[in-house]
Amino acid sequence: MKQILFPTDFSEAANVAFIYALNFADALGAEVTILNVYDLPIVETPPLPESTKEIFDVVEANKAESFKEELVKLNQLAKEKGLSNVKLNSELLYGDLVYNINKVTKEQGAGLVVMGTTGATGAKEVFLGSNAASVISNVNIPVLAIPATADFDGKVNSIVFTTQYQEKDTDAFNKTLDVARNLKAKVYCLYIKTPDDPTNIEERINEWKILYKDNDVSFFNIDGDHVEQTIIDFVENQKVDILVMLKHKRSFFESLFHRSLTKKMAYHTKVPLMVYHEK
């Protein structure tokens, strides 16, 4: 991984995520591209087309000037954290956030998106749009969503990977192990037992234990009727630093009746959430 994309609105929540992006880049030997996406104002029937262009030109000039000022602040923040060695690139683009993230990641060959999220609770989750949740759903590379309340002390000690021990989980798990090695973090493999467990689940668990016996991995298989809450409780009890989940593809009819667990966790988890996408 040589490129990390950091979309930002320059808020405090985004600055928290910036610290994670810098530390990941430092550990992985990657560069960070700072991306800011903006919208142009809606102009209602101006008298002349030239007037609209003049308005847009002024907005774009102001955005460019503001962008330069914010970049100076981020460079200073990197210096304060002792991470000024990480190379920073920048992109200021107009339009849709997800579209531009996909565009830049493809052009630069980025391997990870790191961004902040403010989350939501209760009824707000239905009505409050979350950029991070939208990016998780619509961007094809891994996304690391950082809650505004995340407290990063410069060290990732533990990472938990949630799994159903399926073959399609192994690619994301292997990538998680690679990240953990670079961060010098231990890995917990977490499975939540439910009444719908396949009959061969014990066989799958044993296969994974044999497959990863030479890795620093601890396996936890826990009973839990409420999967989301069980994961949150495990993260809190084990003082986990990063939660990793695989976003599975769903059929159209399944999506009508089941909320995406990874999207829910993007709202509710109090620790950074890394999401890989099923191939």
Side-chain angles (χ1 to χ4, degrees):
M1 185 187 301
K2 296 303 179 183
Q3 294 286 341
I4 293 174
L5 182 63
F6 168 62
T8 179
D9 58 1
F10 304 112
S11 63
E12 286 300 318
N15 287 348
V16 172
F18 182 58
I19 304 304
Y20 277 86
L22 289 173
N23 277 276
F24 265 65
D26 185 48
L28 300 174
E31 300 177 3
V32 174
T33 295
I34 300 166
L35 171 66
N36 181 238
V37 178
Y38 68 94
D39 285 323
L40 292 174
I42 298 174
V43 180
E44 296 182 1
T45 320
L48 294 170
E50 290 80 4
S51 300
T52 302
K53 184 178 184 305
E54 290 174 2
I55 293 171
F56 288 170
D57 286 346
V58 170
V59 171
E60 289 175 345
N62 289 338
K63 288 290 184 183
E65 186 62 31
S66 176
F67 187 51
K68 290 179 183 178
E69 293 173 358
E70 295 294 344
L71 289 177
V72 171
K73 296 177 184 177
L74 290 180
N75 275 278
Q76 181 59 34
L77 182 56
K79 185 176 180 180
E80 291 172 2
K81 298 296 181 180
L83 292 164
S84 57
N85 59 296
V86 176
K87 183 178 179 181
L88 301 178
N89 308 303
S90 61
E91 292 274 0
L92 176 63
L93 299 174
Y94 153 73
D96 178 72
L97 175 64
V98 171
Y99 171 83
N100 281 301
I101 288 176
N102 280 322
K103 176 176 179 290
V104 175
T105 55
K106 184 176 181 179
E107 290 174 350
Q108 298 190 357
L112 176 67
V113 173
V114 180
M115 65 184 299
T117 178
T118 53
T121 57
K124 285 184 179 180
E125 184 181 334
V126 179
F127 304 105
L128 178 64
S130 166
N131 282 335
S134 179
V135 170
I136 286 172
S137 297
N138 298 289
V139 172
N140 292 324
I141 68 171
V143 177
L144 179 61
I146 312 295
T149 55
D151 184 16
F152 189 53
D153 62 3
K155 174 68 175 169
V156 174
N157 295 305
S158 58
I159 299 173
V160 59
F161 180 87
T162 60
T163 181
Q164 294 177 312
Y165 294 109
Q166 298 183 40
E167 184 177 350
K168 58 187 177 183
D169 294 358
T170 56
D171 182 65
F173 188 59
N174 288 331
K175 291 177 180 177
T176 300
L177 289 175
D178 287 339
V179 170
R181 290 188 196 101
N182 282 288
L183 296 174
K184 296 180 174 57
K186 56 186 175 183
V187 177
Y188 301 137
C189 196
L190 175 63
Y191 176 70
I192 311 301
K193 300 177 183 178
T194 70
D196 298 324
D197 282 349
T199 55
N200 67 338
I201 188 60
E202 292 299 330
E203 180 182 338
R204 289 186 192 174
I205 292 171
N206 289 330
E207 286 176 354
W208 274 51
K209 288 182 177 179
I210 294 171
L211 182 62
Y212 296 106
K213 62 183 176 64
D214 295 327
N215 295 271
D216 185 15
V217 181
S218 298
F219 292 87
F220 293 83
N221 306 301
I222 302 173
D223 293 310
D225 295 327
H226 195 298
V227 175
E228 178 189 353
Q229 189 57 52
T230 304
I231 293 173
I232 291 173
D233 290 343
F234 180 88
V235 167
E236 291 180 352
N237 293 335
Q238 297 294 328
K239 295 180 171 55
V240 169
D241 295 308
I242 294 178
L243 168 63
V244 180
M245 302 183 75
L246 178 64
K247 185 179 185 299
H248 294 282
K249 295 176 181 178
R250 293 185 181 275
S251 70
F252 173 72
F253 291 103
E254 284 179 313
S255 66
L256 292 178
F257 299 103
H258 297 282
R259 300 278 317 279
S260 166
L261 180 59
T262 50
K263 194 170 183 178
K264 290 179 70 175
M265 295 301 294
Y267 286 111
H268 292 160
T269 181
K270 295 179 182 178
V271 301
L273 171 65
M274 174 88 85
V275 178
Y276 290 94
H277 295 78
E278 178 187 336
K279 288 188 175 181

